Amino acid sequence: MDSGDKTPRMDFSDFTNVMCQKLETMFTQHEARVNELLQNHFRQGGLVEERSFDRTCTSHWHGRRKLPTCPAKMASLRDAGDGIADTVFQTSNLAARKRLFNTQKIQEVAPVDQELYDVTKFYHTSGKIQQVVRSDRFANLTLFVIALNAIYMGIEADNNKEDNVYKSHTFYIVCENVFALVFTTEIFLRFLAFKRKRNCLLDAWFMFDGFLVALMIVDIWIPA
């Protein structure tokens, strides 16, 4: 080392202290900016904070309730809050905290409280046909026939080479007519179950099933 070099050298501890001071300054500036933005946000929404955020593990008193601002305690509160947004726990104003909590709770519960679509609300409330259509046996039988029809379509596609069903084997002719009769009967009963027949146009599933049945009728029962 050159003994003539008089430049003071900084040891590791001094360097660490300087960097800590710089980081502290940057953090303070950032925190002040965040406080300013949040205060403007709450002020525009009619919610004014009572004081800025505190980085230390202290507690503020609001009336008789002690609201901790320690990050660790706030984290535990957030975990106990069933996923409520952090803004609820970052607001030191108790009234604002309650309003935010209630607003977000309503937003979470609202989708659950929405009425589910049920086509049976358009049906008659009395009569044999609506009773049959509403029954679980009718729905299960329909699903069973749909499953059988899917299996048949796979078999028919692999083995039947005729374009005209009535030129095919008797097995295919019988199956086509049976499935067409069952699906036509099913869609007709569902149509009769509507109290106002025009309400069937409001049910997308009924319209879709009716379109498929119409194609089946044209293909099987209306000669080309």
Side-chain angles (χ1 to χ4, degrees):
M1 181 184 299
D2 187 2
S3 60
D5 188 1
K6 303 298 184 181
T7 303
R9 296 184 179 276
M10 181 182 300
D11 58 14
F12 180 76
S13 60
D14 295 336
F15 174 78
T16 303
N17 292 334
V18 172
M19 293 302 297
C20 289
Q21 292 176 1
K22 291 184 178 181
L23 290 174
E24 181 71 16
T25 302
M26 292 173 60
F27 186 84
T28 302
Q29 294 174 352
H30 175 72
E31 183 183 29
R33 178 57 178 164
V34 170
N35 284 328
E36 180 182 356
L37 292 175
L38 288 175
Q39 288 174 358
N40 292 335
H41 171 73
F42 287 117
R43 188 176 295 110
Q44 292 174 0
L47 306 175
V48 181
E49 292 183 287
E50 294 182 1
R51 59 171 61 187
S52 62
F53 297 151
D54 189 355
R55 287 185 292 111
T56 61
C57 189
T58 59
S59 299
H60 300 319
W61 287 88
H62 297 275
R64 295 183 178 181
R65 184 173 180 178
K66 194 175 184 182
L67 301 178
T69 58
C70 173
K73 293 182 179 180
M74 291 174 65
S76 64
L77 286 175
R78 287 196 297 269
D79 293 338
D82 296 331
I84 301 301
D86 292 347
T87 53
V88 175
F89 296 95
Q90 291 175 351
T91 307
S92 58
N93 187 312
L94 182 58
R97 185 187 298 255
K98 289 182 178 180
R99 283 195 291 269
L100 282 172
F101 182 86
N102 293 332
T103 300
Q104 296 193 20
K105 267 299 184 184
I106 291 174
Q107 292 176 353
E108 289 186 355
V109 175
V112 180
D113 294 339
Q114 290 179 356
E115 182 180 0
L116 297 177
Y117 174 76
D118 185 8
V119 67
T120 58
K121 68 182 180 181
F122 298 119
Y123 290 171
H124 287 284
T125 56
S126 61
K128 292 293 185 180
I129 294 179
Q130 63 85 27
Q131 184 178 2
V132 170
V133 175
R134 290 176 186 268
S135 65
D136 293 336
R137 290 184 178 181
F138 180 81
N140 294 333
L141 179 61
T142 302
L143 292 176
F144 177 72
V145 176
I146 292 174
L148 286 180
N149 185 57
I151 296 173
Y152 163 77
M153 290 175 63
I155 297 174
E156 192 267 343
D158 290 338
N159 299 280
N160 187 15
K161 306 303 180 183
E162 297 290 342
D163 294 333
N164 190 336
V165 63
Y166 291 103
K167 293 180 180 180
S168 306
H169 190 275
T170 306
F171 170 77
Y172 301 113
I173 297 175
V174 172
C175 288
E176 291 285 350
N177 282 273
V178 169
F179 284 123
L181 179 62
V182 171
F183 288 134
T184 302
T185 303
E186 183 256 345
I187 203 70
F188 184 65
L189 290 176
R190 286 167 58 187
F191 176 74
L192 293 179
F194 282 96
K195 186 175 184 179
R196 294 184 177 181
K197 306 310 178 186
R198 63 184 179 183
N199 286 337
C200 69
L201 302 176
L202 302 178
D203 184 26
W205 278 115
F206 180 86
M207 296 298 296
F208 177 73
D209 293 340
F211 175 74
L212 294 181
V213 171
L215 291 179
M216 183 177 291
I217 291 174
V218 172
D219 184 52
I220 299 175
W221 291 341
I222 297 180

